[in-house]
Amino acid sequence: MQIFLDTADVKDIRELAALGVVDGVTTNPSLVAKEGRPFKDIAAEILQIVDGPISLEVVSTDAPGMMAEARELAKLHKNVVVKIPLIAEGLKAVKQLSAEGIRTNVTLCFSAAQALLAAKAGAGYISPFVGRLDDISHMGMDLVRQIVAIYKNYGYPTRVLAASLRTPIHFVEAALAGAHVCTLPPAVLRQLLKHPLTDIGLERFLADWKKVPKTG
Ligand code: E4P
């Protein structure tokens, strides 16, 4: 399973990319707005830090506008994946962009039916939003399981990118469900590393090592 970082914070991206387990980055307008810097500057920095798929989102809501934005974004770097919302105009744009060889990540997916349509349109990635479904008392991870099964049934090449993940349990469940990618907020990636028994165990090993005679 690939791991993407779900953030526009270049400091976090730089620090966590150094772990060697970050395969890509996803951003959205809300994440970019939090940074208080121009979008193009942030995008250029992320593209320079991580050599993998970088999702940058359009903000037009009509297909011609989305396609124009997507073509501009795709010119920035070969790793750009254009994020398109799962609405009717979005599907039209995805169909055309995929014919032009521009990779897309179809976002704001909340149903298996929507995901099937996105795959038919030629989406490169589909982003089911797990946490936001959990927020309204649905089992968000069930959606990931359904999409993985449906895509497998028909051999769609669209990759399932589990999004809106909020906890380490989400990460493990998405892996069990067969998601191709998990996109994680930096805090969640940091949490994945942590285990109290690892810390206690290491502390004990180091303390015991001090008792080993230095000479024979
Ligand atoms: C997906 O690509 C989105 O950027 C993100 O995962 C949304 O997460 P949120 O529901 O925590 O805002």
Side-chain angles (χ1 to χ4, degrees), residues 89-137:
E89 289 298 296
L91 279 191
K92 293 182 206 168
V94 168
K95 180 88 185 172
Q96 178 58 31
L97 292 168
S98 122
E100 292 175 24
I102 295 176
R103 286 187 297 167
T104 54
N105 170 0
V106 177
T107 188
L108 291 169
C109 173
F110 293 97
S111 81
Q114 287 180 316
L116 184 44
L117 294 179
K120 284 187 72 71
Y125 296 88
I126 185 72
S127 288
F129 275 35
V130 174
R132 292 193 196 186
L133 281 168
D134 287 357
D135 288 344
I136 56 161
S137 303

Tab-separated table of all heavy atoms in Angstrom, residues 89-137:
chain	number	residue	atom	x	y	z
A	89	GLU	N	-20.202	17.694	-13.809
A	89	GLU	CA	-19.206	18.413	-14.617
A	89	GLU	C	-17.809	17.823	-14.415
A	89	GLU	O	-16.993	17.797	-15.327
A	89	GLU	CB	-19.210	19.906	-14.249
A	89	GLU	CG	-20.451	20.657	-14.710
A	89	GLU	CD	-20.611	20.656	-16.227
A	89	GLU	OE1	-19.755	21.234	-16.913
A	89	GLU	OE2	-21.600	20.095	-16.724
A	90	GLY	N	-17.581	17.335	-13.213
A	90	GLY	CA	-16.291	16.712	-12.916
A	90	GLY	C	-16.085	15.454	-13.748
A	90	GLY	O	-14.996	15.219	-14.282
A	91	LEU	N	-17.132	14.647	-13.849
A	91	LEU	CA	-17.014	13.411	-14.648
A	91	LEU	C	-16.670	13.738	-16.098
A	91	LEU	O	-15.815	13.089	-16.701
A	91	LEU	CB	-18.333	12.626	-14.624
A	91	LEU	CG	-18.642	11.754	-13.431
A	91	LEU	CD1	-19.844	10.866	-13.738
A	91	LEU	CD2	-17.459	10.887	-13.022
A	92	LYS	N	-17.345	14.757	-16.651
A	92	LYS	CA	-17.064	15.151	-18.038
A	92	LYS	C	-15.596	15.545	-18.182
A	92	LYS	O	-14.930	15.174	-19.136
A	92	LYS	CB	-17.932	16.359	-18.444
A	92	LYS	CG	-19.409	16.072	-18.539
A	92	LYS	CD	-20.111	17.363	-19.008
A	92	LYS	CE	-21.550	17.396	-18.546
A	92	LYS	NZ	-22.181	18.727	-18.723
A	93	ALA	N	-15.127	16.305	-17.221
A	93	ALA	CA	-13.725	16.756	-17.271
A	93	ALA	C	-12.776	15.574	-17.169
A	93	ALA	O	-11.777	15.495	-17.900
A	93	ALA	CB	-13.461	17.760	-16.141
A	94	VAL	N	-13.077	14.630	-16.275
A	94	VAL	CA	-12.202	13.468	-16.082
A	94	VAL	C	-12.101	12.667	-17.374
A	94	VAL	O	-11.015	12.231	-17.784
A	94	VAL	CB	-12.726	12.587	-14.917
A	94	VAL	CG1	-12.021	11.242	-14.880
A	94	VAL	CG2	-12.548	13.314	-13.597
A	95	LYS	N	-13.237	12.489	-18.035
A	95	LYS	CA	-13.253	11.717	-19.289
A	95	LYS	C	-12.297	12.347	-20.304
A	95	LYS	O	-11.468	11.678	-20.918
A	95	LYS	CB	-14.696	11.694	-19.815
A	95	LYS	CG	-14.895	10.956	-21.099
A	95	LYS	CD	-15.154	9.505	-20.823
A	95	LYS	CE	-15.235	8.712	-22.115
A	95	LYS	NZ	-15.287	7.288	-21.859
A	96	GLN	N	-12.418	13.659	-20.471
A	96	GLN	CA	-11.593	14.357	-21.457
A	96	GLN	C	-10.119	14.382	-21.044
A	96	GLN	O	-9.235	14.127	-21.854
A	96	GLN	CB	-12.129	15.792	-21.637
A	96	GLN	CG	-11.338	16.660	-22.593
A	96	GLN	CD	-11.231	16.070	-24.008
A	96	GLN	OE1	-12.139	15.371	-24.472
A	96	GLN	NE2	-10.100	16.302	-24.685
A	97	LEU	N	-9.883	14.642	-19.755
A	97	LEU	CA	-8.488	14.728	-19.293
A	97	LEU	C	-7.797	13.381	-19.416
A	97	LEU	O	-6.627	13.313	-19.789
A	97	LEU	CB	-8.448	15.218	-17.831
A	97	LEU	CG	-8.883	16.675	-17.634
A	97	LEU	CD1	-9.091	16.975	-16.156
A	97	LEU	CD2	-7.871	17.645	-18.241
A	98	SER	N	-8.550	12.312	-19.134
A	98	SER	CA	-7.926	10.996	-19.243
A	98	SER	C	-7.582	10.704	-20.705
A	98	SER	O	-6.538	10.117	-21.001
A	98	SER	CB	-8.818	9.952	-18.569
A	98	SER	OG	-9.199	8.948	-19.420
A	99	ALA	N	-8.423	11.177	-21.636
A	99	ALA	CA	-8.109	11.007	-23.072
A	99	ALA	C	-6.848	11.795	-23.443
A	99	ALA	O	-6.104	11.400	-24.347
A	99	ALA	CB	-9.291	11.466	-23.918
A	100	GLU	N	-6.600	12.893	-22.720
A	100	GLU	CA	-5.413	13.720	-23.002
A	100	GLU	C	-4.177	13.218	-22.246
A	100	GLU	O	-3.103	13.808	-22.341
A	100	GLU	CB	-5.675	15.178	-22.592
A	100	GLU	CG	-6.722	15.857	-23.456
A	100	GLU	CD	-7.056	17.265	-22.964
A	100	GLU	OE1	-6.222	17.894	-22.288
A	100	GLU	OE2	-8.176	17.733	-23.277
A	101	GLY	N	-4.359	12.187	-21.434
A	101	GLY	CA	-3.217	11.648	-20.680
A	101	GLY	C	-2.930	12.408	-19.396
A	101	GLY	O	-1.852	12.261	-18.813
A	102	ILE	N	-3.886	13.228	-18.942
A	102	ILE	CA	-3.698	13.947	-17.664
A	102	ILE	C	-4.327	13.113	-16.547
A	102	ILE	O	-5.513	12.759	-16.609
A	102	ILE	CB	-4.306	15.368	-17.731
A	102	ILE	CG1	-3.529	16.205	-18.754
A	102	ILE	CG2	-4.329	16.029	-16.344
A	102	ILE	CD1	-4.066	17.603	-18.995
A	103	ARG	N	-3.510	12.776	-15.540
A	103	ARG	CA	-3.990	11.900	-14.454
A	103	ARG	C	-4.903	12.664	-13.503
A	103	ARG	O	-4.642	13.823	-13.176
A	103	ARG	CB	-2.807	11.327	-13.669
A	103	ARG	CG	-2.076	10.241	-14.448
A	103	ARG	CD	-1.029	9.584	-13.585
A	103	ARG	NE	-0.002	10.534	-13.190
A	103	ARG	CZ	0.897	10.301	-12.232
A	103	ARG	NH1	0.853	9.171	-11.556
A	103	ARG	NH2	1.824	11.190	-11.956
A	104	THR	N	-5.947	11.976	-13.039
A	104	THR	CA	-6.907	12.631	-12.148
A	104	THR	C	-7.100	11.828	-10.863
A	104	THR	O	-6.922	10.611	-10.841
A	104	THR	CB	-8.290	12.758	-12.829
A	104	THR	OG1	-8.702	11.472	-13.269
A	104	THR	CG2	-8.236	13.732	-13.996
A	105	ASN	N	-7.474	12.565	-9.813
A	105	ASN	CA	-7.863	11.981	-8.532
A	105	ASN	C	-9.255	12.531	-8.267
A	105	ASN	O	-9.419	13.732	-8.041
A	105	ASN	CB	-6.859	12.419	-7.461
A	105	ASN	CG	-7.311	12.058	-6.050
A	105	ASN	OD1	-8.367	11.486	-5.850
A	105	ASN	ND2	-6.495	12.427	-5.073
A	106	VAL	N	-10.257	11.648	-8.343
A	106	VAL	CA	-11.628	12.130	-8.174
A	106	VAL	C	-11.972	12.140	-6.687
A	106	VAL	O	-11.910	11.110	-6.007
A	106	VAL	CB	-12.617	11.281	-9.000
A	106	VAL	CG1	-14.046	11.740	-8.749
A	106	VAL	CG2	-12.274	11.413	-10.486
A	107	THR	N	-12.294	13.333	-6.211
A	107	THR	CA	-12.391	13.564	-4.770
A	107	THR	C	-13.833	13.788	-4.328
A	107	THR	O	-14.726	13.957	-5.159
A	107	THR	CB	-11.495	14.768	-4.389
A	107	THR	OG1	-11.440	14.872	-2.966
A	107	THR	CG2	-12.003	16.080	-4.965
A	108	LEU	N	-14.022	13.763	-3.013
A	108	LEU	CA	-15.345	13.937	-2.410
A	108	LEU	C	-16.278	12.800	-2.809
A	108	LEU	O	-17.438	13.028	-3.155
A	108	LEU	CB	-15.941	15.305	-2.781
A	108	LEU	CG	-15.247	16.511	-2.159
A	108	LEU	CD1	-15.714	17.818	-2.791
A	108	LEU	CD2	-15.458	16.570	-0.645
A	109	CYS	N	-15.749	11.580	-2.750
A	109	CYS	CA	-16.547	10.395	-3.068
A	109	CYS	C	-17.177	9.858	-1.783
A	109	CYS	O	-16.466	9.563	-0.817
A	109	CYS	CB	-15.670	9.322	-3.710
A	109	CYS	SG	-16.564	7.765	-3.942
A	110	PHE	N	-18.501	9.733	-1.796
A	110	PHE	CA	-19.215	9.251	-0.612
A	110	PHE	C	-20.114	8.054	-0.885
A	110	PHE	O	-20.871	7.639	-0.014
A	110	PHE	CB	-20.028	10.400	0.010
A	110	PHE	CG	-19.141	11.479	0.587
A	110	PHE	CD1	-18.853	12.627	-0.139
A	110	PHE	CD2	-18.555	11.320	1.836
A	110	PHE	CE1	-18.016	13.611	0.375
A	110	PHE	CE2	-17.711	12.295	2.362
A	110	PHE	CZ	-17.442	13.438	1.634
A	111	SER	N	-20.065	7.509	-2.122
A	111	SER	CA	-20.866	6.300	-2.381
A	111	SER	C	-20.170	5.425	-3.409
A	111	SER	O	-19.389	5.905	-4.238
A	111	SER	CB	-22.276	6.660	-2.873
A	111	SER	OG	-22.255	6.965	-4.253
A	112	ALA	N	-20.499	4.130	-3.361
A	112	ALA	CA	-19.906	3.181	-4.309
A	112	ALA	C	-20.393	3.483	-5.725
A	112	ALA	O	-19.652	3.294	-6.697
A	112	ALA	CB	-20.276	1.757	-3.902
A	113	ALA	N	-21.633	3.948	-5.844
A	113	ALA	CA	-22.164	4.288	-7.171
A	113	ALA	C	-21.342	5.416	-7.793
A	113	ALA	O	-20.972	5.362	-8.979
A	113	ALA	CB	-23.627	4.696	-7.046
A	114	GLN	N	-21.044	6.425	-6.991
A	114	GLN	CA	-20.201	7.531	-7.497
A	114	GLN	C	-18.837	6.999	-7.945
A	114	GLN	O	-18.311	7.393	-8.980
A	114	GLN	CB	-19.962	8.565	-6.389
A	114	GLN	CG	-21.147	9.435	-6.033
A	114	GLN	CD	-20.755	10.414	-4.923
A	114	GLN	OE1	-20.091	10.038	-3.949
A	114	GLN	NE2	-21.159	11.670	-5.065
A	115	ALA	N	-18.294	6.080	-7.151
A	115	ALA	CA	-16.959	5.544	-7.457
A	115	ALA	C	-16.960	4.760	-8.765
A	115	ALA	O	-15.999	4.817	-9.540
A	115	ALA	CB	-16.482	4.652	-6.311
A	116	LEU	N	-18.040	4.043	-9.020
A	116	LEU	CA	-18.140	3.267	-10.265
A	116	LEU	C	-18.180	4.222	-11.458
A	116	LEU	O	-17.522	3.998	-12.492
A	116	LEU	CB	-19.391	2.381	-10.200
A	116	LEU	CG	-19.696	1.408	-11.328
A	116	LEU	CD1	-18.463	0.648	-11.786
A	116	LEU	CD2	-20.750	0.415	-10.869
A	117	LEU	N	-18.932	5.305	-11.316
A	117	LEU	CA	-19.001	6.285	-12.413
A	117	LEU	C	-17.626	6.915	-12.659
A	117	LEU	O	-17.221	7.114	-13.809
A	117	LEU	CB	-20.024	7.385	-12.088
A	117	LEU	CG	-21.482	6.921	-12.002
A	117	LEU	CD1	-22.391	8.093	-11.655
A	117	LEU	CD2	-21.936	6.280	-13.312
A	118	ALA	N	-16.917	7.216	-11.580
A	118	ALA	CA	-15.587	7.832	-11.731
A	118	ALA	C	-14.642	6.891	-12.479
A	118	ALA	O	-13.874	7.312	-13.349
A	118	ALA	CB	-15.012	8.184	-10.356
A	119	ALA	N	-14.720	5.604	-12.139
A	119	ALA	CA	-13.855	4.625	-12.822
A	119	ALA	C	-14.211	4.556	-14.296
A	119	ALA	O	-13.325	4.505	-15.167
A	119	ALA	CB	-14.003	3.250	-12.167
A	120	LYS	N	-15.508	4.558	-14.598
A	120	LYS	CA	-15.928	4.506	-16.001
A	120	LYS	C	-15.449	5.731	-16.780
A	120	LYS	O	-15.143	5.654	-17.960
A	120	LYS	CB	-17.460	4.413	-16.103
A	120	LYS	CG	-17.997	3.035	-15.790
A	120	LYS	CD	-19.492	2.929	-16.064
A	120	LYS	CE	-19.822	2.930	-17.543
A	120	LYS	NZ	-19.419	1.696	-18.230
A	121	ALA	N	-15.371	6.874	-16.084
A	121	ALA	CA	-14.918	8.105	-16.753
A	121	ALA	C	-13.404	8.102	-16.967
A	121	ALA	O	-12.874	8.912	-17.717
A	121	ALA	CB	-15.335	9.322	-15.927
A	122	GLY	N	-12.712	7.175	-16.276
A	122	GLY	CA	-11.260	7.091	-16.479
A	122	GLY	C	-10.436	7.717	-15.374
A	122	GLY	O	-9.274	8.097	-15.599
A	123	ALA	N	-11.019	7.808	-14.172
A	123	ALA	CA	-10.261	8.383	-13.045
A	123	ALA	C	-9.002	7.568	-12.766
A	123	ALA	O	-9.040	6.332	-12.788
A	123	ALA	CB	-11.138	8.395	-11.789
A	124	GLY	N	-7.915	8.254	-12.457
A	124	GLY	CA	-6.683	7.575	-12.058
A	124	GLY	C	-6.795	7.075	-10.624
A	124	GLY	O	-6.388	5.964	-10.291
A	125	TYR	N	-7.362	7.922	-9.771
A	125	TYR	CA	-7.584	7.586	-8.350
A	125	TYR	C	-9.020	7.956	-7.995
A	125	TYR	O	-9.566	8.915	-8.545
A	125	TYR	CB	-6.673	8.403	-7.421
A	125	TYR	CG	-5.198	8.148	-7.580
A	125	TYR	CD1	-4.442	8.867	-8.501
A	125	TYR	CD2	-4.537	7.200	-6.785
A	125	TYR	CE1	-3.079	8.645	-8.651
A	125	TYR	CE2	-3.175	6.975	-6.914
A	125	TYR	CZ	-2.457	7.697	-7.855
A	125	TYR	OH	-1.095	7.477	-7.990
A	126	ILE	N	-9.569	7.213	-7.029
A	126	ILE	CA	-10.853	7.615	-6.433
A	126	ILE	C	-10.590	7.822	-4.951
A	126	ILE	O	-9.904	7.009	-4.316
A	126	ILE	CB	-11.952	6.541	-6.643
A	126	ILE	CG1	-13.301	7.027	-6.115
A	126	ILE	CG2	-11.603	5.211	-5.995
A	126	ILE	CD1	-13.953	8.094	-6.930
A	127	SER	N	-11.104	8.927	-4.423
A	127	SER	CA	-10.867	9.235	-3.003
A	127	SER	C	-12.147	9.150	-2.179
A	127	SER	O	-12.888	10.138	-2.057
A	127	SER	CB	-10.275	10.649	-2.861
A	127	SER	OG	-8.948	10.685	-3.294
A	128	PRO	N	-12.432	7.972	-1.601
A	128	PRO	CA	-13.548	7.879	-0.649
A	128	PRO	C	-13.160	8.535	0.673
A	128	PRO	O	-12.066	8.281	1.189
A	128	PRO	CB	-13.750	6.366	-0.480
A	128	PRO	CG	-12.481	5.731	-0.923
A	128	PRO	CD	-11.769	6.677	-1.842
A	129	PHE	N	-14.035	9.376	1.206
A	129	PHE	CA	-13.750	10.139	2.425
A	129	PHE	C	-14.274	9.382	3.656
A	129	PHE	O	-15.429	9.545	4.060
A	129	PHE	CB	-14.406	11.522	2.343
A	129	PHE	CG	-13.585	12.559	1.621
A	129	PHE	CD1	-12.781	12.230	0.540
A	129	PHE	CD2	-13.628	13.890	2.032
A	129	PHE	CE1	-12.027	13.197	-0.127
A	129	PHE	CE2	-12.876	14.872	1.379
A	129	PHE	CZ	-12.079	14.528	0.304
A	130	VAL	N	-13.421	8.598	4.260
A	130	VAL	CA	-13.823	7.719	5.359
A	130	VAL	C	-14.276	8.508	6.598
A	130	VAL	O	-15.368	8.304	7.118
A	130	VAL	CB	-12.655	6.764	5.716
A	130	VAL	CG1	-12.970	5.940	6.957
A	130	VAL	CG2	-12.327	5.862	4.527
A	131	GLY	N	-13.423	9.415	7.065
A	131	GLY	CA	-13.706	10.123	8.321
A	131	GLY	C	-14.976	10.947	8.259
A	131	GLY	O	-15.743	11.009	9.224
A	132	ARG	N	-15.223	11.554	7.100
A	132	ARG	CA	-16.433	12.400	7.021
A	132	ARG	C	-17.703	11.556	7.037
A	132	ARG	O	-18.759	12.025	7.460
A	132	ARG	CB	-16.382	13.288	5.772
A	132	ARG	CG	-15.297	14.338	5.874
A	132	ARG	CD	-15.406	15.414	4.819
A	132	ARG	NE	-14.148	16.144	4.735
A	132	ARG	CZ	-13.961	17.213	3.991
A	132	ARG	NH1	-14.940	17.693	3.256
A	132	ARG	NH2	-12.784	17.809	3.966
A	133	LEU	N	-17.610	10.299	6.563
A	133	LEU	CA	-18.771	9.402	6.680
A	133	LEU	C	-18.928	8.961	8.133
A	133	LEU	O	-20.045	8.933	8.665
A	133	LEU	CB	-18.610	8.189	5.756
A	133	LEU	CG	-18.927	8.456	4.289
A	133	LEU	CD1	-18.470	7.305	3.407
A	133	LEU	CD2	-20.425	8.702	4.076
A	134	ASP	N	-17.803	8.624	8.772
A	134	ASP	CA	-17.869	8.273	10.211
A	134	ASP	C	-18.533	9.411	11.002
A	134	ASP	O	-19.324	9.166	11.912
A	134	ASP	CB	-16.459	8.042	10.785
A	134	ASP	CG	-15.824	6.730	10.316
A	134	ASP	OD1	-16.485	5.967	9.588
A	134	ASP	OD2	-14.651	6.486	10.670
A	135	ASP	N	-18.191	10.645	10.602
A	135	ASP	CA	-18.729	11.822	11.322
A	135	ASP	C	-20.255	11.847	11.329
A	135	ASP	O	-20.871	12.422	12.221
A	135	ASP	CB	-18.257	13.130	10.655
A	135	ASP	CG	-16.783	13.412	10.895
A	135	ASP	OD1	-16.193	12.794	11.804
A	135	ASP	OD2	-16.220	14.265	10.162
A	136	ILE	N	-20.862	11.262	10.265
A	136	ILE	CA	-22.337	11.279	10.233
A	136	ILE	C	-22.909	9.874	10.490
A	136	ILE	O	-23.957	9.495	9.963
A	136	ILE	CB	-22.880	11.874	8.911
A	136	ILE	CG1	-22.334	11.116	7.691
A	136	ILE	CG2	-22.570	13.362	8.810
A	136	ILE	CD1	-23.165	11.331	6.430
A	137	SER	N	-22.156	9.115	11.307
A	137	SER	CA	-22.603	7.799	11.786
A	137	SER	C	-22.758	6.747	10.699
A	137	SER	O	-23.606	5.864	10.803
A	137	SER	CB	-23.927	7.927	12.570
A	137	SER	OG	-23.760	8.819	13.615
